[in-house]
Amino acid sequence: MSVPLEPPLTRSAVVGHAINWGKPLTTGPRYVRTPGMSRWHRPRHGVRYPHGISYGLWCGQAARDDGRLLTADQPPAGDAVCGTCEGRAIGAGQDTQPDGKALLFSPARLVPPKKCPGSRTVWCEELAWNVGRCLVCGHVCPMRSSGGPYNPRWGLTTHPPGPDLIPGCPFHAWRELGVQDGRVSCRCTHNLGGQA
């Protein structure tokens, strides 16, 4: 039985390989364990690479499927289960609540930011004197100087995301944006149309 997986928003998804080579998985096994692990773990996210699959676990560890990875719907009776993984996975809604106990965990998810990533940047289309349309979200707002005499900047004022906010990258959310050919997107190859 498969369970839904979170987007791999943390750098632990890399597991020693370039993050741009992988494709995020939307579902995966309920429990995983490598031969070197002392207990079963719950996968938080997964990335498929050309040479195999890597899972980031709820407790912060990583497990690579090198042909020896064990998967299970339920661990064998008597085997230990990682309490951190179990509690976070259930509390985040990945699985059902055990014994009717209310568990809660709020993982970092692909939630739009409260402040537009284009704020205080020059990523805009200038419409008039000191007015620009943000290339990140489409919001029309004033442009101002800031930073003082030792760190001067010119750009859009701080604003909430507009209606045309670009989609977040499954690996970096809105944290690694850049401009290429007059278009703002994640600097990784996932949103720039490069080889993934």
Side-chain angles (χ1 to χ4, degrees), residues 1-5 25-32 43 55 73 94:
M1 176 179 166
S2 293
V3 294
L5 298 177
L25 301 176
T26 57
T27 61
R30 179 173 280 159
Y31 291 94
V32 298
Y55 292 104
D73 286 340
Q94 188 182 51

Side-chain angles (χ1 to χ4, degrees), residues 90-128:
I90 293 170
Q94 188 182 51
D95 214 343
T96 57
Q97 304 284 346
D99 304 326
K101 294 181 180 130
L103 298 176
L104 180 64
F105 177 70
S106 299
R109 290 195 168 124
L110 202 56
V111 177
K114 292 182 176 142
K115 180 178 84 168
C116 177
S119 296
R120 300 173 62 104
T121 69
V122 292
W123 300 340
C124 66
E125 169 192 0
E126 290 191 44
L127 302 175

